[in-house]
Amino acid sequence: MKDIRYLKGVGEKRAELFSKKGINTVEDLLYYFPRSHEDRSEMKEIADCAEGETVCISVTVFSPVRDVRVRKNMLISTMVVSDQTGALNVVWYNNRYVKGQFMTGDEYILYGKITKNRGKKEIINPVYEKKGNERFTGKIVPLYPLTEGLTQKILQSSMELAIKEAGRLEEYIPSDIRGKYNIAELNYAMKNVHFPEDFESYNIARERFVFEELLILQLALSGHREENTALSGAVFEDILCVRDFVKTLPFPLTNAQKRTLNEILSDCKSGKMMNRLVQGDVGSGKTAVAAAAIYTAVKNGHQAAMMAPTEILATQHKETLDEFFKGMGINVVLLTGSMKVREKRLAYDMISTGAADVVVGTHAIIQKEVEFHNLALVVADEQHRFGVEQRAKLAAKGANPHILIMSATPIPRTLALILYGDLDISVIDELPPGRKPVKTYAVGEKMRQRIFAFLEKHIRNGMQAYIVCPLIEETEKSDLQNAEMLSQKLQTIFPDFKIGLMHGKMRPKLKESIMDEFVSGDIKILVSTTVIEVGVNVPNANIMVIENAERFGLSQLHQLRGRVGRGNDQAYCILFAHGNNEVTKKRMETMCISNDGFYISEQDLMLRGPGDFFGTRQHGLPEMKIANLFEDRDILAVSQQAAKEILSEDPFLTSEKYKGLKKRADKVINAGIVMN
Ligand code: ADP
Ligand code: MG
């Protein structure tokens, strides 16, 4: 459709403003949906207007506008209007344009708020339209999200024109699907989503676009997904051997761990390739479950690999597995990017000959130098994006392993379905017994002295603390300085304690040695950026202080908090939050009242929307134009059903029937907003 510049009343300058909102064509404009509507459809009589009400009235001008300048920068314009029930003052503040607009006897429709001034009713800064020419009064009027320079009026009238100019739109959701799911036709929906006759029509129209948006998203995602269900995976003949491993654990598995382990092992026995996501809150014991699966793979004569996002975590996993597998004759090999060439070569050899039963490492383990002997299981810890690409790399090496993805980011069901619709999901929804919830407090700057005193007391009692500074996005440098400055400041405040500093720009070896010092207890306070976020386990550290907590996503805060409370002592989390806005307050409150990752992430989704849900790091979904993933979960389910049906009929959307949907799905993919 045509460029927005050529729409009447737009031109070059406004076109630029529109383009800031991603609106470049008339079609883009049509899909710029209102954020709400104002009901100006009901007309009132002056006598019925109550103070505080926003009303639409039909009036005759009684005496035209008079200007009074009260102060240098305050112009008040007033006029008197009437209808058959009474008279009313109309007041505009600082509006130079109204004078001379109105003639006695002219009939107008006004829309505005009623107030009272010295006992007399007034209507303030009303929208006005000449009777007979009503466009935005006397009906339900759309309100759009604005940017600077674009007013409601501009958007409303541009939209009205756009709908006229666009003419009849070509429907792209086939009629059988619309019929089956009760979805409104495009032209009807387009008109009514912007300029509805009544709110019922609006709801019907909105539903269509929510359905459409979610359907197209699913179709786009499916294009990136492979059909794994049909792929075959190694068969683990003997899965009962896992009992021998479980017996050696120093604790009984929780029921949720058992259930998850069962689900994993029955996948591995089935002959089909496993593709499973295990979601479990921090501390729910995912590693033990993974270890049990790895044990079973090895006892069935296969190799297994475990991937972690950072070297620190990989190293820790290696130690944990060594401990779990002590005396079982299972050989665990570490492979990370920062290892010396000689060490790496040795590791490669052991992996390719099969001398290594288990490989633990970072992404280094799927690099091309690595050849596996007979890899049958890959556990990806905290790698939500472990997907098609990595799997293709493995497949290129002739390995087609079962995949187990472990995530401590509790994703609300709705999002999980969208992001991981092709994965089976197990949820470990139970913490090992005896865990004390972390006591959490949100505080302001004025509490800083008290918090430092609190820290000092607890450190003297032998505890350790983390202090986390946020990533400041603009420059990585300021981000680094932030943590660095704070650690210097703390060193002067606590001259007796060793303060450590860790950030993402450090070389892995240095990070590791600092982490070692923290684990050994030499470092009392570890100041860091979010690099410690995932997985790290230091039982003696039980205070977590988070600076600028308002900058973090709730799930991320929950993750960070999960670093403490791993020992037997009561743990604390202190959130320094700045700013007074309601959303921040609610979010901090959520952290203080709940230790349940699923609840927290759902609140986050509700309070901030999916765009912010993962922070910027893991943001994998496009911004929704109209759907609300939280409120529209029913439509989400329906659209999923529809997507499935469409794909089973035409997996690559090559038929004429789905041409329009394919075009739109491709657009989502090409914009690079769908993750894989
Ligand atoms: P996460 O799910 O966050 O990865 P971990 O696997 O690191 O959690 O487990 C956290 C701690 O809980 C570890 O010290 C682990 O040994 C312990 N743990 C795991 N399962 C149980 C259990 N069933 N009972 C008691 N402790 C457990
Ligand atoms: Mg873990």
Side-chain angles (χ1 to χ4, degrees):
M1 260 190 242
K2 84 179 185 188
D3 197 303
I4 191 82
R5 262 178 302 181
Y6 306 122
L7 193 67
K8 218 169 98 194
V10 175
E12 294 291 339
K13 247 201 160 143
R14 270 186 194 164
E16 261 173 49
L17 297 175
F18 275 111
S19 121
K20 276 191 194 150
K21 282 276 175 193
I23 302 168
N24 297 307
T25 64
V26 170
E27 178 166 9
D28 293 340
L29 182 60
L30 292 178
Y31 286 83
Y32 191 69
F33 297 116
R35 68 174 153 75
S36 63
H37 285 83
E38 205 160 71
D39 190 355
R40 304 179 184 170
S41 62
E42 209 184 322
M43 301 293 250
K44 282 225 158 172
E45 301 198 305
I46 290 177
D48 294 338
C49 293
E51 192 183 345
E53 250 186 325
T54 302
V55 297
C56 212
I57 50 179
S58 173
V59 297
T60 307
V61 177
F62 187 79
S63 70
V65 174
R66 283 194 340 213
D67 280 354
V68 183
R69 190 164 285 279
V70 260
R71 265 179 276 125
K72 199 166 137 227
N73 49 7
M74 172 65 92
L75 173 72
I76 300 181
S77 312
T78 54
M79 126 175 130
V80 183
V81 297
S82 64
D83 68 6
Q84 56 201 8
T85 67
L88 182 74
N89 271 339
V90 184
V91 182
W92 284 278
Y93 293 101
N94 286 335
N95 186 331
R96 287 178 291 129
Y97 306 104
V98 287
K99 176 143 188 177
Q101 292 259 349
F102 303 88
M103 308 282 252
T104 304
D106 280 354
E107 293 181 310
Y108 275 89
I109 310 288
L110 305 181
Y111 177 79
K113 190 167 180 181
I114 302 288
T115 57
K116 247 186 193 159
N117 188 8
R118 292 192 215 122
K120 280 173 84 179
K121 270 189 226 166
E122 294 184 342
I123 187 164
I124 307 287
N125 290 333
V127 176
Y128 54 90
E129 286 179 328
K130 222 165 176 174
K131 201 162 175 188
N133 288 337
E134 298 98 326
R135 291 169 66 200
F136 303 115
T137 56
K139 51 177 96 170
I140 296 172
V141 175
L143 299 177
Y144 296 95
L146 301 177
T147 49
E148 205 168 326
L150 282 182
T151 63
Q152 279 306 343
K153 234 179 178 161
I154 295 173
L155 273 163
Q156 288 160 348
S157 34
S158 305
M159 196 64 79
E160 203 183 36
L161 263 176
I163 287 180
K164 262 198 209 111
E165 289 236 344
R168 201 164 168 75
L169 304 168
E170 200 182 325
E171 174 64 274
Y172 40 83
I173 303 184
S175 60
D176 57 335
I177 295 189
R178 276 185 286 122
K180 177 159 182 195
Y181 295 101
N182 219 345
I183 298 302
E185 189 273 335
L186 177 61
N187 288 277
Y188 171 89
M190 190 58 84
K191 183 185 170 293
N192 282 286
V193 81
H194 292 290
F195 301 103
E197 293 294 331
D198 48 45
F199 281 99
E200 193 179 329
S201 317
Y202 168 73
N203 286 335
I204 292 171
R206 179 182 180 276
E207 237 168 66
R208 139 110 202 186
F209 289 110
V210 171
F211 175 86
E212 166 182 330
E213 183 166 46
L214 295 171
L215 175 67
I216 288 167
L217 180 61
Q218 320 273 325
L219 294 175
L221 284 164
S222 77
H224 271 228
R225 285 177 188 151
E226 63 207 306
E227 282 294 320
N228 324 303
T229 37
L231 290 178
S232 56
V235 178
F236 295 9
E237 297 288 352
D238 172 21
I239 57 174
L240 288 182
C241 68
V242 76
R243 290 182 183 171
D244 301 332
F245 172 77
V246 173
K247 270 200 309 236
T248 67
L249 289 172
F251 43 73
L253 292 178
T254 63
N255 285 328
Q257 282 172 315
K258 282 186 205 153
R259 192 183 58 232
T260 300
L261 188 53
N262 274 339
E263 285 164 355
I264 292 167
L265 294 181
S266 60
D267 284 352
C268 292
K269 199 185 163 73
S270 72
K272 276 200 224 148
M273 196 182 107
M274 170 170 71
N275 202 15
R276 184 172 287 280
L277 172 72
V278 173
Q279 276 193 48
D281 216 339
V282 279
S284 60
K286 293 184 290 295
T287 319
V289 173
I294 289 171
Y295 174 93
T296 315
V298 173
K299 288 297 160 190
N300 277 270
H302 305 291
Q303 272 179 318
M306 185 156 181
M307 274 172 71
T310 64
E311 300 210 345
I312 291 181
L313 205 55
T315 310
Q316 229 176 42
H317 278 328
K318 149 95 170 123
E319 285 161 14
T320 309
L321 290 183
D322 278 340
E323 181 66 30
F324 276 140
F325 297 151
K326 214 165 30 188
M328 295 178 185
I330 295 177
N331 191 7
V332 182
V333 167
L334 181 68
L335 180 59
T336 64
S338 71
M339 274 165 43
K340 293 201 187 71
V341 177
R342 210 174 42 83
E343 295 171 322
K344 276 189 205 165
R345 209 166 288 146
L346 190 63
Y348 296 153
D349 277 349
M350 295 182 71
I351 297 166
S352 66
T353 57
D357 299 305
V358 184
V359 190
V360 182
T362 51
H363 268 85
I365 66 177
I366 52 170
Q367 273 157 13
K368 58 179 184 305
E369 293 86 357
V370 186
E371 256 178 69
F372 288 94
H373 182 61
N374 61 348
L375 181 68
L377 171 68
V378 172
V379 178
D381 193 19
E382 296 301 338
Q383 314 252 302
H384 309 124
R385 285 165 178 257
F386 189 95
V388 181
E389 209 179 307
Q390 285 89 339
R391 221 170 288 150
K393 274 191 186 166
L394 285 169
K397 299 172 190 293
N400 199 12
H402 296 293
I403 306 278
L404 187 62
I405 299 174
M406 300 201 296
S407 169
T409 311
I411 298 165
R413 188 95 196 134
T414 50
L415 273 192
L417 280 172
I418 293 184
L419 291 173
Y420 309 119
D422 59 338
L423 298 183
D424 295 311
I425 301 180
S426 300
V427 181
I428 307 186
D429 51 4
E430 184 185 354
L431 292 182
R435 290 277 165 83
K436 291 195 197 100
V438 178
K439 284 198 174 145
T440 303
Y441 304 93
V443 298
E445 210 44 50
K446 61 177 192 288
M447 291 285 283
R448 192 168 287 276
Q449 290 316 316
R450 282 179 65 183
I451 298 300
F452 282 167
F454 175 83
L455 268 181
E456 174 158 14
K457 187 180 115 200
H458 283 270
I459 291 170
R460 295 230 182 271
N461 281 339
M463 294 179 177
Q464 289 167 279
Y466 295 99
I467 301 189
V468 176
C469 298
L471 285 159
I472 295 167
E473 273 170 40
E474 292 85 356
T475 70
E476 302 204 40
K477 218 167 161 199
S478 65
D479 152 40
L480 194 151
Q481 277 168 350
N482 221 25
E484 205 163 348
M485 266 160 48
L486 184 65
S487 73
Q488 284 164 6
K489 189 174 141 201
L490 286 167
Q491 195 62 78
T492 58
I493 296 174
F494 303 119
D496 309 357
F497 303 149
K498 184 159 186 187
I499 315 280
L501 171 67
M502 195 160 82
H503 57 74
K505 292 279 131 191
M506 281 177 170
R507 277 184 302 113
K509 280 274 183 262
L510 185 54
K511 275 194 248 178
E512 217 174 288
S513 75
I514 290 175
M515 209 57 213
D516 284 346
E517 278 186 82
F518 190 56
V519 172
S520 70
D522 288 347
I523 290 178
K524 300 294 181 201
I525 301 178
L526 182 62
V527 180
S528 86
T529 56
T530 50
V531 288
I532 54 141
E533 189 177 333
V534 277
V536 179
N537 200 1
V538 182
N540 197 44
N542 61 0
I543 302 177
M544 166 70 59
V545 179
I546 301 174
E547 299 283 344
N548 291 97
E550 75 281 357
R551 289 178 185 238
F552 293 91
L554 291 191
S555 292
Q556 212 180 354
L557 288 177
H558 181 65
Q559 284 288 308
L560 287 167
R561 178 169 64 182
R563 298 302 108 226
V564 297
R566 298 182 157 244
N568 295 322
D569 300 308
Q570 177 62 54
Y572 302 90
C573 175
I574 314 289
L575 306 168
F576 274 109
H578 303 266
N580 237 348
N581 82 57
E582 278 308 306
V583 173
T584 301
K585 272 192 204 155
K586 274 245 167 60
R587 296 176 65 236
M588 294 306 126
E589 191 184 297
T590 303
M591 291 304 297
C592 294
I593 61 171
S594 176
N595 265 284
D596 175 348
F598 281 94
Y599 172 79
I600 288 171
S601 69
E602 241 178 43
Q603 290 298 305
D604 209 14
L605 186 60
M606 209 162 66
L607 291 169
R608 296 203 308 172
D612 293 321
F613 183 71
F614 293 108
T616 43
R617 243 168 358 104
Q618 291 165 344
H619 186 316
L621 286 178
E623 203 177 312
M624 296 286 129
K625 281 181 176 348
I626 192 164
N628 176 319
L629 292 173
F630 194 73
E631 281 157 19
D632 295 321
R633 39 194 167 199
D634 293 349
I635 305 179
L636 175 68
V638 172
S639 72
Q640 257 154 359
Q641 175 67 28
K644 236 184 228 165
E645 262 174 47
I646 292 173
L647 290 170
S648 69
E649 185 184 319
D650 182 359
F652 302 104
L653 304 180
T654 47
S655 65
E656 189 63 22
K657 183 178 172 191
Y658 296 123
K659 202 176 72 185
L661 282 175
K662 176 167 183 358
K663 197 177 100 193
R664 284 166 173 80
D666 286 347
K667 221 166 120 184
V668 177
I669 293 167
N670 291 335
I673 37 196
V674 165
M675 67 189 247
N676 53 36

